[in-house]
Amino acid sequence: QVQLVESGGGLVQAGGSLRLSCAASGRTFSNYAMGWFRQAPAKEREFVASISLSGSNTYYADSVKGRFTISRDNAKKTVYLQMNSLRPDDTAVYYCAAAWTYRYTSREQYEYWGQGTQVTVSS
């Protein structure tokens, strides 16, 4: 079992930045690849980014490539999502999740989930 708790969401103006954190507890954090998803109102939950067990490999959705950066600190059992150049369409609840490989982009492939943190980008 892995417990995940996100933090760092909030309200930001378009063009601004936020850094989300996801703290893990329970089973060995470094055994899992980690991902970030988001869900806007009335929309499906969508993949944002993922990172491998060691942090050496990452993968991004086209919509955030070049603006968002995923990273992890296995000693702190934390994964981060640095979000720059935010746009109103980035507004969503952001979730972190754990999986066996960073190549997974479907929510069904992720085993453990956090409760989410709200990100609101005003225009």
Side-chain angles (χ1 to χ4, degrees):
Q1 193 80 1
V2 175
Q3 292 79 40
L4 302 171
V5 179
E6 302 94 336
S7 61
L11 174 64
V12 64
Q13 289 188 331
S17 298
L18 279 175
R19 188 176 83 154
L20 305 183
S21 298
C22 173
S25 60
R27 299 184 69 177
T28 306
F29 175 72
S30 58
N31 285 349
Y32 292 90
M34 298 297 296
W36 285 97
F37 286 72
R38 66 186 181 187
Q39 187 165 16
K43 291 190 176 182
E44 294 292 317
R45 191 171 301 187
E46 64 175 3
F47 171 81
V48 174
S50 61
I51 189 165
S52 60
L53 278 65
S54 66
S56 58
N57 294 292
T58 58
Y59 186 67
Y60 296 92
D62 288 343
S63 59
V64 306
K65 202 173 296 182
R67 300 188 299 123
F68 291 10
T69 302
I70 188 171
S71 61
R72 66 189 295 165
D73 185 332
N74 285 343
K76 295 183 178 179
K77 296 185 179 181
T78 302
V79 61
Y80 305 97
L81 186 68
Q82 177 67 45
M83 305 185 295
N84 298 329
S85 302
L86 283 161
R87 309 185 305 217
D89 62 357
D90 293 317
T91 295
V93 177
Y94 283 71
Y95 299 88
C96 71
W100 293 112
T101 173
Y102 79 100
R103 294 182 176 88
Y104 289 165
T105 60
S106 171
R107 62 179 295 183
E108 291 78 17
Q109 296 170 313
Y110 281 74
E111 187 169 356
Y112 300 106
W113 291 85
Q115 83 291 346
T117 186
Q118 177 70 47
V119 171
T120 303
V121 184
S122 62
S123 56

